[in-house]
Amino acid sequence: MNSVRARLLSTLAGQLGNPHGVLGKGVAFLLNRGNKVAIAGAVSATGVAPGATAADIGFGGGAGLSLLLDRVGADGVVHGVEISADMLARARSGRASDLGAGRLRLAEGSLTALPLADDSLDAAITVNTVYFVPDLTAACAELARVVRPGGRVVVGIGDPDAMAKLPFTSYGFTLRPVPEVIAALEQAGCDVEHRPLANRPIPHHLLVATPR
């Protein structure tokens, strides 16, 4: 029984890091629902205005793409970068008009290898993704690289103490203390503001980083 439970939890953890297949469709719905408050908070924290260029890195179910598209308006551009081929296909099939208009641009990539040019964004968000990145320093350096000086990088993470109580986070998650993530962003050349975010059942932290 314990081995069955372990396999189930390991499968769930793997799907959260890289949604795919039949299970991935359900995970996409759960990601949008469970991360709704954190994603909305991250988008708001970017402060992007109409006409801006923004990105959601590791967009999962795509809720952040919709919110960013609303903020940047008809003259803005939103980039979506995702490691999951299935989530990319899902976004492409559901957002054909935005893609055709050039308002939305989707690409495969990871936090440590972003397919974006230096200083090409006004803002970027990434929510509940850094648990799956072995090299946090490289990820923060990439985020700082693609966002222009004075822009904003918003990293959203669940409270690590609360996350540690979930049964699946011992399978493939790296739950780093908030100060460690802040330090990595500062090392990448950013000034960082820490904004705690009330959220049920997992409180979140928004780390609003401004590249210098």
Side-chain angles (χ1 to χ4, degrees):
M1 183 64 70
N2 287 336
S3 63
V4 172
R5 181 175 185 271
R7 285 197 299 271
L8 289 173
L9 292 174
S10 179
T11 297
L12 175 58
Q15 284 284 347
L16 290 170
N18 184 359
H20 58 278
V22 176
L23 286 177
K25 295 178 181 179
V27 169
F29 172 79
L30 292 175
L31 288 172
N32 281 345
R33 183 174 180 178
N35 295 338
K36 181 179 179 180
V37 171
I39 293 171
V43 170
S44 178
T46 65
V48 290
T53 300
D56 187 350
I57 313 299
F59 59 78
L65 298 177
S66 296
L67 294 175
L68 285 171
L69 284 165
D70 287 343
R71 284 193 68 108
V72 304
D75 297 324
V77 174
V78 173
H79 293 266
V81 179
E82 176 58 57
I83 198 170
S84 168
D86 285 3
M87 293 301 98
L88 281 165
R90 182 178 187 271
R92 290 188 180 109
S93 66
R95 303 176 187 276
S97 61
D98 291 322
L99 287 164
R103 298 182 61 229
L104 178 63
R105 302 174 187 179
L106 302 175
E108 184 175 357
S110 70
L111 273 168
T112 53
L114 295 174
L116 297 165
D118 294 359
D119 302 335
S120 58
L121 304 176
D122 297 302
I125 69 168
T126 188
V127 177
N128 289 336
T129 56
V130 297
Y131 325 122
F132 308 108
V133 179
D135 192 340
L136 179 64
T137 299
C140 290
E142 273 290 87
L143 289 166
R145 176 184 69 79
V146 300
V147 174
R148 64 171 176 78
R152 285 186 176 177
V153 175
V154 184
V155 178
I157 58 173
D159 182 79
D161 292 334
M163 293 280 288
K165 297 175 183 177
L166 299 175
F168 53 81
T169 53
S170 59
Y171 298 87
F173 280 66
T174 300
L175 302 177
R176 299 178 175 89
V178 174
E180 182 178 335
V181 184
I182 293 174
L185 288 165
E186 290 176 339
Q187 183 179 341
C190 299
D191 297 319
V192 184
E193 177 189 355
H194 176 201
R195 301 182 188 179
L197 181 67
N199 185 44
R200 291 186 175 183
I202 303 295
H204 272 64
H205 302 268
L206 296 180
L207 308 180
V208 185
T210 303
R212 294 189 287 271

